Amino acid sequence: MAAAVETITKDSSQQTGLTTDDSQFLTFSLGEELYGVDILRVQEIKGYTAVTKIPNTPPHIKGVLNLRGTIVPIVELRTKFGLPTIDYTMFTVIVVVVVQDKVMGLVVDAVSDVLNIDKKDIQAAPEFGAKVNVTFLNGIGKSGDKLISLLDIDRLLIDQEIKEALATAA
Amino acid sequence: MSNDFAQFQDAFFEEAAEHLAIVEEGLLALEQHPEDLDLLAKIFRSAHSIKGTAGMFGFNAVAQFTHKMETLLDLLRNGQKVVTPQIADLLLKSTDCLKTLIEAAKSNEPVDNEVVQRLTGELAAASESGGQAAPQAGVAAKAASAPAANQGHTYIISWTPPAWLFQRGLDPLQIFKELGALGTLSEVTVDTTKLPELAAMDPETCYLAWTMKLNTVKDRKVVEGVFEFVREDSILKIEEGHEAREENRLQPASPSPLASNPLPIASGLAPAEGEEPKPLGELLVESGAVSRETLDKALSQQKRVGEILVEQQAVTPQQVEQALLKQRQQESAAHAKKTDTASIRVDTAKIDKLINLVGELVITQSMLSDLGARFEMRQMPILLERMAQLERNTREIQERVMGIRMLPIGTAFSRFPRLVRDLSAKAGKKIQLVLSGEETELDKTVIESIGDPLTHLVRNSADHGLEPPEERLDNNKPELGTIRLNAFHEGGSICITVEDDGRGLNRDKILAKGIKQGLITENDKLSDDQIWALIFKPGFSTAEKVTDVSGRGVGMDVVKRNIEALGGTVSIKTALGKGTTFTLKLPLTLAIIDGMTVRVGQETYIVPLLSILESIQPKPEVIKTVVGKGELINVRGTYLPMMRMYEVFSLQPEYTDPTKAILLILETEGERVAVMVDEILGQQQVVIKSMEQNFRKVEGVAGATILGDGTVGFILDVRGLLEMARRGTPVAA
């Protein structure tokens, strides 16, 4: 597992063209937890606005949004992770990310910070077996006393892969 | 680098396709008017262009084959041979072969060499057989480069090309190459006296003139033919010379101008596209602030080219080609980003209008912001007026921008003369094709997609619609059958009709067949239209025998499906013994559709206007159920299945009672369905946005659009909706 994570981190750093040992992550909160995505994958952050529901889609697909003329699907991360839903506040934001040439939005409770995390401060995601699905985590980052779950958004947001991941996990 | 070069190749393929079309069209016309010399010249020019550019790009197979065709064409043009049906046929076949060769060059795939060889042989034979013209043309390429050529004439050619030479993308090198192919070209000297100062020089103007000696077996006409493209404004002198005099001049004359002023030759190396030749362009830029250094550098660069040319005194094609290739590669690097793989040629008039409109828009905008800066309530009328102006501008710009994608349908029609010619030969029928409305414009993507359905319909008319000549004569019809293709605008759509004066559809036969295939029962009372619609059912054919061309009905389902995929409809009008007309009705563009906005609960959806027949508010007594569940609506005597949209899309509706809601009667692929919505909001044009770009296909949704309030609305896919309703359970993804 550790080796696998090693490769994944390496791959993503190649993808982003980073050669240094630390990477920047945009971190955001879902309840008490902190999550991070590679900053180079983030296109923009925008306040939450009403979306149009797509008929017959899973609950975590909130709907679609008009982002300057482009139709962008919006994923509610809380629902995606099986966390309890909460009412949106003025801090609720949409983090617009680019996933394999597709633009998507993630609804998160609040953005918190942009952090430099050294490679040595990233450890493999712990295994919880079938109890918790961590296939879409690149690893766990440490910054001070904060723990940040680093998301592998490619895995997280591409349906096909998720299905495969779930199939192998189950 | 190779990739950049590929982009130039794309331009070549596009151009070649155009020339091929001209050649084919010309040959077809030539069959009717074999004596038309203008036509022959036109065909020759196009073939010549293909040959030239193909050679330049190193597609030797294409160039060589075209050369053979050209040889024959040249004989025809010079009147040394007459256009016979056999020759026309051979040339058409060769055009097909050339098409294949070009395709092969494009995809880098191997070609069926046997066909190429056979046709090459036939072309050579056709060029040779019959009269004294033979030895000259038949052996063209081979004999020309052979040393034996010395025995022929010696011409002293002096050529002052027109100043626009480069602007039209013509390349003197090509001419030299071709002359070289005719025999031995030597003593090429360049006259640089007209060349202005570097700073004053326009790199797109040709200031040069050449004299050269050509030793060839060809006669003067062939040599003149090489200058075909430039003859117009050139000063061209071709004199018969004799050896001795030339030998004397050869040595002293050529090196000096070449060595001392080699620069112009470099401009001769410029590629055919008419782009500014790179070294010269650079020099010009640099000369704006001429520093010694740069000038020296430039001069040293010149010298290098000059040296090459001195060595090349007798310009050999290979060397030139190499130099040319190198130049082109540099060139393509500079222009790499300019070309796009899917390009479109736009009438400059359209662009000019657009620019004017954008200008107006800018003015309106500045007037509005001016007004906004110090707005008072009493200025409200002015504001409204300016807003209206803004709206007008925007709408017009939108229309014009869409217009850029519009191409005349003639490009889709152009393949049919050939098709009909071949079909009539195959089916043993006499058929004339009448085209009209070729200038009618529609969206490029639509044009590309209607080609196949149209081909199908034309084939159908030729094969099954039109009777054999004897039958026609028996029925007091002219022996010559007619197929008409017409395109015209009607409302917001374009109509294309395929009309034949053949036997028409046989109602009884279709009925019988329909019953036999179990599509209908004997008791069904069908209207004519419903009967004609049967031929669009998969696998339905009324043809007694299915020929290799088609059977009426075979593939008609595909035609219908393709047209409907474009948001269009197909209808049939027919009269027994008189003929059949197929009418395709298509939206002008795929990017914008007319839609009806409807509301279901909180959600807004757009229904394509094309599929809406009517909307009704049903009375309780017209709603019936079958098997307790399936709901049917009686619309003037016909029962249509009813679909509750909120069920299919899992929405919260305002009304669950159909008598309070609105029913839209929709039609797709001949099927009708009543769809229940809460309210009709209005009609508007919507711009289609892709859902798949960032998400995926959503069942029942054809695409998305941005509504007036900036939110996203979905455009319904009526077909998909029907299928969902039929399955009963929405697929949760």
Side-chain angles (χ1 to χ4, degrees):
Chain A
M1 190 65 196
V5 171
E6 190 68 29
T7 2
I8 290 165
T9 8
K10 208 170 128 203
D11 280 347
S12 65
S13 69
Q14 271 170 358
Q15 210 169 10
T16 52
L18 284 184
T19 46
T20 50
D21 265 357
D22 63 358
S23 320
Q24 285 196 311
F25 291 90
L26 174 78
T27 62
F28 52 82
S29 61
L30 292 176
E32 297 298 308
E33 297 174 349
L34 271 184
Y35 290 85
V37 290
D38 188 339
I39 192 110
L40 295 175
R41 306 298 291 274
V42 178
Q43 184 185 304
E44 63 184 274
I45 300 165
K46 68 185 301 287
Y48 182 81
T49 45
V51 298
T52 305
K53 270 181 64 185
I54 312 173
N56 304 321
T57 42
H60 67 263
I61 307 281
K62 278 293 282 181
V64 285
L65 198 66
N66 161 26
L67 191 71
R68 294 182 296 279
T70 320
I71 309 292
V72 176
I74 305 298
V75 174
E76 193 180 57
L77 268 198
R78 274 183 169 270
T79 327
K80 178 96 198 169
F81 291 161
L83 302 171
T85 48
I86 55 160
D87 287 339
Y88 290 173
T89 67
M90 57 183 292
F91 297 110
T92 308
V93 291
I94 295 173
V95 179
V96 181
V97 293
V98 180
V99 189
Q100 294 172 14
D101 292 336
K102 288 177 187 280
V103 182
M104 297 189 181
L106 305 173
V107 182
V108 301
D109 288 1
V111 280
S112 79
D113 213 345
V114 175
L115 290 178
N116 284 313
I117 302 179
D118 202 285
K119 210 173 181 180
K120 65 176 167 42
D121 289 329
I122 298 176
Q123 67 173 72
E127 289 202 57
F128 297 96
K131 199 168 70 174
V132 184
N133 179 20
V134 291
T135 44
F136 46 76
L137 288 190
N138 254 342
I140 303 288
K142 286 174 291 183
S143 174
D145 56 351
K146 289 180 199 155
L147 180 147
I148 301 132
S149 306
L150 303 176
L151 295 175
D152 180 346
I153 55 167
D154 288 335
R155 285 199 184 199
L156 180 68
L157 295 177
I158 296 299
D159 274 356
Q160 192 74 36
E161 288 195 9
I162 281 194
K163 272 175 202 150
E164 277 169 18
L166 286 174
T168 44
Chain B
M1 194 64 98
S2 61
N3 193 27
D4 301 333
F5 196 56
Q7 286 177 319
F8 276 96
Q9 291 187 349
D10 286 344
F12 161 68
F13 290 126
E14 205 170 295
E15 201 179 288
E18 276 172 28
H19 284 304
L20 270 175
I22 294 173
V23 171
E24 187 169 57
E25 213 175 280
L27 287 173
L28 287 169
L30 198 64
E31 270 190 314
Q32 313 299 321
H33 314 280
E35 67 298 322
D36 190 338
L37 283 179
D38 286 346
L39 211 53
L40 259 169
K42 200 168 134 197
I43 300 169
F44 184 82
R45 272 198 299 273
S46 281
H48 191 78
S49 299
I50 297 176
K51 184 180 92 172
T53 28
M56 217 151 48
F57 279 94
F59 299 130
N60 291 329
V62 176
Q64 277 164 15
F65 189 80
T66 322
H67 185 82
K68 298 280 186 228
M69 283 178 73
E70 212 183 304
T71 308
L72 180 55
L73 283 167
D74 192 37
L75 289 174
L76 298 172
R77 191 178 57 159
N78 295 341
Q80 283 159 292
K81 280 197 149 294
V82 204
V83 184
T84 61
Q86 288 78 18
I87 286 187
D89 203 54
L90 174 63
L91 283 170
L92 274 171
K93 269 191 220 148
S94 305
T95 313
D96 289 343
C97 179
L98 189 57
K99 239 182 244 172
T100 333
L101 281 171
I102 291 175
E103 281 301 314
K106 201 174 180 176
S107 57
N108 265 329
E109 271 165 23
V111 220
D112 184 359
N113 258 322
E114 207 181 304
V115 179
V116 179
Q117 227 119 65
R118 184 168 50 78
L119 280 171
T120 309
E122 279 180 44
L123 281 171
S127 308
E128 260 167 65
S129 65
Q132 43 92 264
Q136 285 179 1
V139 282
K142 295 276 175 278
S145 51
N150 276 332
Q151 296 155 352
H153 319 261
T154 300
Y155 297 107
I156 308 291
I157 303 166
S158 74
W159 174 42
T160 311
W164 47 253
L165 188 74
F166 300 140
Q167 284 157 14
R168 301 226 181 142
L170 295 166
D171 185 351
L173 261 184
Q174 280 303 308
I175 302 220
F176 300 146
K177 267 165 83 177
E178 271 178 56
L179 288 173
L182 292 176
T184 317
L185 187 67
S186 55
E187 206 193 332
V188 182
T189 60
V190 62
D191 174 9
T192 56
T193 48
K194 295 231 180 72
L195 200 70
E197 291 274 301
L198 197 53
M201 193 172 80
D202 172 8
E204 289 194 345
T205 302
C206 180
Y207 301 97
L208 305 170
W210 285 271
T211 56
M212 64 212 96
K213 188 184 81 174
L214 177 68
N215 216 319
T216 177
V217 290
K218 307 275 165 150
D219 62 28
R220 181 185 293 259
K221 276 213 150 169
V222 180
V223 178
E224 275 174 9
V226 173
F227 293 93
E228 172 80 35
F229 291 108
V230 292
R231 201 185 281 169
E232 225 180 297
D233 295 331
S234 287
I235 303 167
L236 181 66
K237 248 194 275 173
I238 301 176
E239 290 170 49
E240 195 119 358
H242 55 87
E243 293 297 314
R245 207 185 85 213
E246 286 138 29
E247 288 308 331
N248 281 337
R249 276 179 50 190
L250 185 75
Q251 288 316 319
S254 48
S256 56
L258 280 173
S260 62
N261 212 342
L263 182 65
I265 302 288
S267 73
L269 281 164
E273 254 71 15
E275 327 251 359
E276 51 182 64
K278 198 161 180 256
L280 281 185
E282 272 174 12
L283 286 172
L284 256 175
V285 174
E286 283 159 11
S287 72
V290 204
S291 81
R292 191 83 252 153
E293 231 178 34
T294 41
L295 198 65
D296 280 349
K297 211 170 131 195
L299 280 170
S300 73
Q301 207 179 351
Q302 288 168 20
K303 208 181 169 198
R304 190 176 52 80
V305 185
E307 277 166 3
I308 294 173
L309 283 156
V310 171
E311 283 163 24
Q312 282 183 349
Q313 228 181 81
V315 191
T316 73
Q318 289 94 335
Q319 278 168 306
V320 175
E321 203 163 24
Q322 265 175 6
L324 182 70
L325 193 72
K326 205 168 177 181
Q327 186 95 1
R328 289 197 64 86
Q329 282 172 349
Q330 286 170 357
E331 183 84 4
S332 50
H335 295 275
K337 299 250 158 70
K338 280 190 186 170
T339 33
D340 214 28
T341 38
S343 60
I344 195 164
R345 291 190 184 198
V346 184
D347 186 353
T348 42
K350 284 184 178 176
I351 294 178
D352 288 345
K353 281 205 178 118
L354 202 55
I355 289 170
N356 284 342
L357 276 170
V358 171
E360 275 183 49
L361 184 73
V362 170
I363 294 168
T364 315
Q365 185 270 330
S366 69
M367 287 197 316
L368 270 169
S369 55
D370 184 52
L371 193 66
R374 38 188 176 76
F375 185 72
E376 288 164 36
M377 251 347 258
R378 62 184 174 78
Q379 288 173 308
M380 198 63 190
I382 307 177
L383 176 70
L384 289 176
E385 183 197 312
R386 306 240 156 118
M387 292 298 283
Q389 196 174 336
L390 180 69
E391 192 191 320
R392 253 197 326 274
N393 285 153
T394 320
R395 197 178 47 233
E396 203 164 332
I397 287 178
Q398 183 204 347
E399 276 166 19
R400 301 269 183 201
V401 169
M402 301 311 294
I404 288 184
R405 290 186 58 86
M406 298 298 210
L407 293 177
I409 198 173
T411 48
F413 278 2
S414 60
R415 66 164 96 169
F416 292 113
R418 177 69 195 282
L419 183 81
V420 169
R421 174 192 177 271
D422 290 356
L423 283 175
S424 60
K426 230 184 227 170
K429 294 174 185 174
K430 292 194 173 154
I431 309 173
Q432 64 166 339
L433 178 73
V434 183
L435 298 176
S436 51
E438 293 109 310
E439 67 293 335
T440 315
E441 290 193 329
L442 74 165
D443 194 282
K444 188 173 185 249
T445 39
V446 184
I447 289 189
E448 279 162 5
S449 352
I450 56 164
D452 287 342
L454 273 183
T455 309
H456 234 92
L457 292 176
V458 171
R459 273 191 182 154
N460 226 301
S461 291
D463 202 32
H464 299 291
L466 295 175
E467 315 88 334
E470 317 82 58
E471 195 182 322
R472 289 183 69 90
L473 288 174
D474 288 347
N475 292 327
N476 285 328
K477 281 179 168 184
E479 199 184 10
L480 184 70
T482 306
I483 297 177
R484 281 174 210 280
L485 264 175
N486 186 20
F488 54 93
H489 287 293
E490 196 181 82
S493 333
I494 182 165
C495 288
I496 305 167
T497 56
V498 181
E499 181 187 347
D500 67 61
D501 63 349
R503 48 171 81 103
L505 290 177
N506 189 322
R507 190 190 153 100
D508 299 334
K509 251 189 205 167
I510 295 175
L511 263 180
K513 181 92 182 181
I515 293 164
K516 201 174 145 201
Q517 293 207 338
L519 295 168
I520 44 170
T521 64
E522 280 184 56
N523 301 326
D524 280 342
K525 282 203 183 93
L526 296 176
S527 68
D528 280 358
D529 281 348
Q530 283 170 312
I531 293 169
W532 310 144
L534 284 176
I535 69 166
F536 291 117
K537 296 281 180 197
F540 193 91
S541 174
T542 55
E544 287 92 60
K545 61 176 179 34
V546 176
T547 67
D548 64 336
V549 185
S550 75
R552 170 107 43 193
V554 170
M556 289 300 261
D557 55 322
V558 183
V559 170
K560 194 171 163 80
R561 206 164 47 232
N562 286 351
I563 296 298
E564 279 176 0
L566 290 172
T569 55
V570 193
S571 59
I572 306 174
K573 239 191 245 158
T574 182
L576 196 61
K578 293 223 175 93
T580 311
T581 305
F582 289 93
T583 306
L584 311 184
K585 201 167 179 181
L586 291 161
L588 277 180
T589 165
L590 297 181
I592 291 188
I593 58 161
D594 278 314
M596 187 75 91
T597 44
V598 299
R599 184 177 60 83
V600 183
Q602 297 298 306
E603 309 293 328
T604 306
Y605 287 92
I606 290 117
V607 189
L609 210 58
L610 256 169
S611 46
I612 303 180
L613 294 179
E614 60 178 317
S615 59
I616 53 166
Q617 190 148 33
K619 299 206 165 62
E621 63 270 20
V622 301
I623 304 165
K624 311 278 177 198
T625 56
V626 277
V627 208
K629 269 192 165 173
E631 289 174 295
L632 292 173
I633 299 291
N634 182 349
V635 183
R636 292 185 294 278
T638 314
Y639 280 99
L640 302 177
M642 187 181 95
M643 197 171 108
R644 293 166 187 255
M645 208 165 106
Y646 67 88
E647 276 183 3
V648 186
F649 276 175
S650 327
L651 302 169
Q652 270 309 318
E654 187 179 346
Y655 307 112
T656 49
D657 177 0
T659 58
K660 291 204 175 98
I662 298 277
L663 293 181
L664 293 174
I665 313 295
L666 306 183
E667 186 183 53
T668 173
E669 294 175 30
E671 275 181 83
R672 289 180 191 188
V673 64
V675 174
M676 184 177 142
V677 300
D678 285 345
E679 190 188 356
I680 289 177
L681 298 174
Q683 189 183 327
Q684 72 180 81
Q685 284 205 324
V686 295
V687 180
I688 302 176
K689 301 268 179 184
S690 155
M691 281 288 283
E692 284 94 323
Q693 190 193 342
N694 290 320
F695 192 53
R696 55 174 161 77
K697 178 103 187 74
V698 176
E699 220 192 359
V701 170
T705 189
I706 314 285
L707 299 171
D709 62 357
T711 61
V712 179
F714 294 119
I715 301 162
L716 292 185
D717 166 17
V718 181
R719 181 81 243 163
L721 214 62
L722 258 174
E723 274 158 23
M724 284 167 81
R726 210 165 280 163
R727 267 201 325 268
T729 46
V731 178

